[in-house]
Each structure stands twice: as C-alpha cells, then as structure tokens.
Short mmCIF file of all heavy atoms in Angstrom, two decimals:
data_model
loop_
_atom_site.label_atom_id
_atom_site.label_comp_id
_atom_site.label_asym_id
_atom_site.label_seq_id
_atom_site.Cartn_x
_atom_site.Cartn_y
_atom_site.Cartn_z
N ARG A 3 9.22 -15.20 -4.90
CA ARG A 3 10.38 -15.18 -5.78
C ARG A 3 10.14 -14.37 -7.06
O ARG A 3 11.09 -13.91 -7.69
CB ARG A 3 10.78 -16.61 -6.16
CG ARG A 3 9.69 -17.37 -6.88
CD ARG A 3 10.15 -18.74 -7.36
NE ARG A 3 9.02 -19.57 -7.74
CZ ARG A 3 8.35 -19.46 -8.88
NH1 ARG A 3 8.70 -18.53 -9.77
NH2 ARG A 3 7.33 -20.25 -9.16
N ASN A 4 8.86 -14.22 -7.45
CA ASN A 4 8.56 -13.62 -8.76
C ASN A 4 7.54 -12.48 -8.67
O ASN A 4 6.92 -12.14 -9.67
CB ASN A 4 8.06 -14.69 -9.72
CG ASN A 4 6.86 -15.45 -9.16
OD1 ASN A 4 6.40 -15.17 -8.06
ND2 ASN A 4 6.37 -16.42 -9.91
N ALA A 5 7.38 -11.89 -7.50
CA ALA A 5 6.43 -10.78 -7.33
C ALA A 5 6.99 -9.78 -6.34
O ALA A 5 7.90 -10.08 -5.57
CB ALA A 5 5.08 -11.29 -6.87
N MET A 6 6.39 -8.58 -6.36
CA MET A 6 6.80 -7.55 -5.41
C MET A 6 5.57 -6.76 -4.97
O MET A 6 4.56 -6.69 -5.69
CB MET A 6 7.82 -6.60 -6.03
CG MET A 6 7.26 -5.76 -7.18
SD MET A 6 8.46 -4.61 -7.88
CE MET A 6 8.73 -3.51 -6.49
N LEU A 7 5.66 -6.19 -3.78
CA LEU A 7 4.58 -5.35 -3.27
C LEU A 7 4.76 -3.96 -3.87
O LEU A 7 5.50 -3.12 -3.35
CB LEU A 7 4.62 -5.30 -1.74
CG LEU A 7 3.47 -4.53 -1.08
CD1 LEU A 7 2.12 -5.12 -1.42
CD2 LEU A 7 3.66 -4.49 0.44
N TRP A 8 4.09 -3.72 -4.98
CA TRP A 8 4.20 -2.45 -5.68
C TRP A 8 3.37 -1.36 -5.00
O TRP A 8 3.82 -0.22 -4.88
CB TRP A 8 3.77 -2.62 -7.13
CG TRP A 8 3.86 -1.36 -7.95
CD1 TRP A 8 2.85 -0.54 -8.34
CD2 TRP A 8 5.06 -0.79 -8.46
NE1 TRP A 8 3.33 0.51 -9.07
CE2 TRP A 8 4.69 0.39 -9.16
CE3 TRP A 8 6.42 -1.15 -8.41
CZ2 TRP A 8 5.62 1.19 -9.79
CZ3 TRP A 8 7.35 -0.33 -9.04
CH2 TRP A 8 6.95 0.82 -9.71
N ALA A 9 2.15 -1.72 -4.57
CA ALA A 9 1.26 -0.70 -4.01
C ALA A 9 0.30 -1.32 -3.00
O ALA A 9 0.01 -2.52 -3.03
CB ALA A 9 0.45 -0.04 -5.13
N ILE A 10 -0.18 -0.49 -2.10
CA ILE A 10 -1.27 -0.87 -1.20
C ILE A 10 -2.34 0.22 -1.28
O ILE A 10 -2.04 1.39 -1.58
CB ILE A 10 -0.81 -1.08 0.26
CG1 ILE A 10 -0.27 0.22 0.87
CG2 ILE A 10 0.22 -2.19 0.34
CD1 ILE A 10 0.04 0.09 2.35
N CYS A 11 -3.58 -0.18 -0.99
CA CYS A 11 -4.69 0.76 -1.09
C CYS A 11 -5.68 0.51 0.03
O CYS A 11 -6.10 -0.63 0.26
CB CYS A 11 -5.38 0.59 -2.45
SG CYS A 11 -6.79 1.71 -2.70
N ASP A 12 -6.04 1.57 0.73
CA ASP A 12 -7.07 1.49 1.75
C ASP A 12 -7.58 2.90 2.03
O ASP A 12 -6.80 3.86 2.01
CB ASP A 12 -6.54 0.85 3.04
CG ASP A 12 -7.66 0.31 3.92
OD1 ASP A 12 -8.43 1.13 4.48
OD2 ASP A 12 -7.77 -0.91 4.06
N VAL A 13 -8.90 3.02 2.27
CA VAL A 13 -9.48 4.33 2.54
C VAL A 13 -9.09 4.86 3.92
O VAL A 13 -9.16 6.06 4.17
CB VAL A 13 -11.02 4.30 2.42
CG1 VAL A 13 -11.43 3.98 0.99
CG2 VAL A 13 -11.63 3.31 3.41
N ALA A 14 -8.69 3.95 4.83
CA ALA A 14 -8.33 4.36 6.19
C ALA A 14 -6.87 4.84 6.19
O ALA A 14 -5.95 4.04 6.12
CB ALA A 14 -8.52 3.20 7.15
N ASP A 15 -6.69 6.15 6.27
CA ASP A 15 -5.34 6.71 6.17
C ASP A 15 -4.40 6.18 7.25
O ASP A 15 -3.24 5.85 6.97
CB ASP A 15 -5.40 8.24 6.27
CG ASP A 15 -6.12 8.88 5.09
OD1 ASP A 15 -6.20 8.23 4.03
OD2 ASP A 15 -6.61 10.02 5.23
N ASP A 16 -4.90 6.10 8.49
CA ASP A 16 -4.03 5.68 9.59
C ASP A 16 -3.55 4.24 9.39
O ASP A 16 -2.37 3.92 9.57
CB ASP A 16 -4.73 5.84 10.94
CG ASP A 16 -6.09 5.14 11.00
OD1 ASP A 16 -6.64 4.76 9.94
OD2 ASP A 16 -6.62 4.98 12.13
N LEU A 17 -4.46 3.36 8.97
CA LEU A 17 -4.12 1.95 8.77
C LEU A 17 -3.17 1.79 7.58
O LEU A 17 -2.15 1.08 7.66
CB LEU A 17 -5.41 1.15 8.54
CG LEU A 17 -5.25 -0.34 8.29
CD1 LEU A 17 -4.57 -1.02 9.46
CD2 LEU A 17 -6.62 -0.98 8.05
N ARG A 18 -3.49 2.46 6.48
CA ARG A 18 -2.66 2.34 5.28
C ARG A 18 -1.25 2.85 5.53
O ARG A 18 -0.26 2.21 5.13
CB ARG A 18 -3.31 3.13 4.14
CG ARG A 18 -2.59 2.98 2.80
CD ARG A 18 -3.13 3.94 1.76
NE ARG A 18 -2.85 5.34 2.08
CZ ARG A 18 -3.76 6.19 2.54
NH1 ARG A 18 -5.02 5.83 2.73
NH2 ARG A 18 -3.41 7.45 2.83
N GLU A 19 -1.14 3.97 6.21
CA GLU A 19 0.19 4.54 6.43
C GLU A 19 1.02 3.65 7.36
O GLU A 19 2.24 3.51 7.18
CB GLU A 19 0.05 5.96 6.99
CG GLU A 19 -0.43 6.94 5.92
CD GLU A 19 -0.85 8.29 6.49
OE1 GLU A 19 -0.69 8.48 7.72
OE2 GLU A 19 -1.33 9.15 5.72
N ARG A 20 0.36 3.04 8.32
CA ARG A 20 1.10 2.13 9.21
C ARG A 20 1.56 0.89 8.45
O ARG A 20 2.70 0.44 8.63
CB ARG A 20 0.22 1.74 10.39
CG ARG A 20 0.94 0.87 11.40
CD ARG A 20 0.22 0.83 12.73
NE ARG A 20 0.84 -0.10 13.63
CZ ARG A 20 0.41 -0.33 14.88
NH1 ARG A 20 -0.63 0.35 15.34
NH2 ARG A 20 1.01 -1.21 15.65
N MET A 21 0.71 0.38 7.58
CA MET A 21 1.11 -0.79 6.79
C MET A 21 2.20 -0.44 5.79
O MET A 21 3.10 -1.24 5.52
CB MET A 21 -0.11 -1.36 6.06
CG MET A 21 -1.13 -2.02 6.97
SD MET A 21 -0.46 -3.39 7.95
CE MET A 21 -0.39 -2.63 9.59
N ALA A 22 2.14 0.76 5.24
CA ALA A 22 3.18 1.20 4.31
C ALA A 22 4.52 1.31 5.03
O ALA A 22 5.57 0.93 4.49
CB ALA A 22 2.79 2.54 3.68
N ALA A 23 4.49 1.82 6.25
CA ALA A 23 5.73 1.93 7.03
C ALA A 23 6.31 0.56 7.35
O ALA A 23 7.53 0.38 7.40
CB ALA A 23 5.46 2.72 8.31
N THR A 24 5.43 -0.41 7.55
CA THR A 24 5.87 -1.76 7.92
C THR A 24 6.36 -2.55 6.71
O THR A 24 7.41 -3.21 6.78
CB THR A 24 4.73 -2.53 8.60
OG1 THR A 24 4.32 -1.81 9.77
CG2 THR A 24 5.17 -3.93 9.00
N HIS A 25 5.63 -2.48 5.59
CA HIS A 25 5.89 -3.39 4.47
C HIS A 25 6.56 -2.72 3.27
O HIS A 25 6.94 -3.41 2.33
CB HIS A 25 4.59 -4.07 4.04
CG HIS A 25 3.98 -4.89 5.15
ND1 HIS A 25 4.49 -6.09 5.56
CD2 HIS A 25 2.90 -4.64 5.96
CE1 HIS A 25 3.77 -6.57 6.54
NE2 HIS A 25 2.80 -5.71 6.82
N ALA A 26 6.66 -1.42 3.28
CA ALA A 26 7.44 -0.65 2.30
C ALA A 26 7.06 -0.91 0.84
O ALA A 26 7.91 -1.25 0.01
CB ALA A 26 8.93 -0.92 2.50
N PRO A 27 5.78 -0.70 0.48
CA PRO A 27 5.43 -0.76 -0.94
C PRO A 27 6.05 0.43 -1.67
O PRO A 27 6.43 1.43 -1.04
CB PRO A 27 3.90 -0.66 -0.93
CG PRO A 27 3.61 0.15 0.30
CD PRO A 27 4.64 -0.29 1.31
N GLU A 28 6.11 0.32 -2.99
CA GLU A 28 6.62 1.45 -3.77
C GLU A 28 5.65 2.63 -3.71
O GLU A 28 6.08 3.79 -3.73
CB GLU A 28 6.81 1.03 -5.23
CG GLU A 28 7.88 -0.04 -5.44
CD GLU A 28 9.26 0.46 -5.09
OE1 GLU A 28 9.56 1.63 -5.41
OE2 GLU A 28 10.03 -0.31 -4.48
N LYS A 29 4.35 2.34 -3.65
CA LYS A 29 3.35 3.39 -3.65
C LYS A 29 2.21 3.03 -2.70
O LYS A 29 1.99 1.86 -2.39
CB LYS A 29 2.78 3.59 -5.07
CG LYS A 29 3.81 3.96 -6.12
CD LYS A 29 3.17 4.10 -7.50
CE LYS A 29 4.21 4.45 -8.55
NZ LYS A 29 3.61 4.64 -9.90
N GLN A 30 1.46 4.04 -2.27
CA GLN A 30 0.24 3.81 -1.49
C GLN A 30 -0.85 4.73 -2.01
O GLN A 30 -0.59 5.84 -2.46
CB GLN A 30 0.48 4.02 0.00
CG GLN A 30 0.99 5.39 0.39
CD GLN A 30 0.89 5.63 1.89
OE1 GLN A 30 -0.20 5.59 2.46
NE2 GLN A 30 2.04 5.89 2.52
N PHE A 31 -2.09 4.22 -1.93
CA PHE A 31 -3.23 4.94 -2.47
C PHE A 31 -4.40 4.88 -1.50
O PHE A 31 -4.67 3.85 -0.88
CB PHE A 31 -3.69 4.32 -3.80
CG PHE A 31 -2.67 4.40 -4.91
CD1 PHE A 31 -1.76 3.37 -5.09
CD2 PHE A 31 -2.64 5.49 -5.76
CE1 PHE A 31 -0.82 3.42 -6.11
CE2 PHE A 31 -1.70 5.56 -6.79
CZ PHE A 31 -0.80 4.52 -6.96
N ALA A 32 -5.11 6.01 -1.40
CA ALA A 32 -6.37 6.04 -0.66
C ALA A 32 -7.55 5.75 -1.57
O ALA A 32 -8.63 5.42 -1.09
CB ALA A 32 -6.55 7.40 0.02
N ASP A 33 -7.33 5.86 -2.87
CA ASP A 33 -8.40 5.70 -3.86
C ASP A 33 -8.07 4.52 -4.78
O ASP A 33 -7.00 4.48 -5.40
CB ASP A 33 -8.55 6.98 -4.68
CG ASP A 33 -9.66 6.87 -5.72
OD1 ASP A 33 -10.83 6.97 -5.35
OD2 ASP A 33 -9.32 6.66 -6.91
N TYR A 34 -8.99 3.57 -4.88
CA TYR A 34 -8.78 2.36 -5.67
C TYR A 34 -8.59 2.69 -7.16
O TYR A 34 -7.70 2.14 -7.82
CB TYR A 34 -9.96 1.42 -5.46
CG TYR A 34 -9.83 0.05 -6.10
CD1 TYR A 34 -8.61 -0.63 -6.11
CD2 TYR A 34 -10.94 -0.57 -6.66
CE1 TYR A 34 -8.51 -1.89 -6.69
CE2 TYR A 34 -10.85 -1.84 -7.23
CZ TYR A 34 -9.62 -2.50 -7.24
OH TYR A 34 -9.54 -3.74 -7.81
N ASP A 35 -9.42 3.57 -7.68
CA ASP A 35 -9.30 3.92 -9.10
C ASP A 35 -7.96 4.57 -9.40
O ASP A 35 -7.40 4.37 -10.49
CB ASP A 35 -10.45 4.85 -9.52
CG ASP A 35 -11.78 4.13 -9.57
OD1 ASP A 35 -11.79 2.95 -9.99
OD2 ASP A 35 -12.80 4.72 -9.19
#
C-alpha cells in the first residue's frame, strides 16, 4: 500500500531483463553502485 518497485538490479542481463518485463520497475540496473 505504501511502496513501489522503483528499480531492480542484477549482473545477469538475461535474468534482469526478464524480471523487468514481468514486474515493470521504473528502472533497471546491471551495476549496484
């Protein structure tokens, strides 16, 4: 009720992109920093 998925981060491009397509964060990152 009080949070949103703003970003996801993972070094594995294939996994991150699939999760981004599924869960629709505002942003995705391969680099934590």
Side-chain angles (χ1 to χ4, degrees):
R3 60 174 166 78
N4 55 1
M6 66 178 295
L7 184 60
W8 181 256
I10 63 174
C11 180
D12 200 291
V13 296
D15 294 338
D16 53 345
L17 179 59
R18 185 189 67 256
E19 288 168 4
R20 183 163 174 180
M21 290 302 107
T24 301
H25 300 286
E28 295 295 320
K29 301 178 181 182
Q30 58 166 301
F31 296 91
D33 180 77
Y34 186 39
D35 289 323

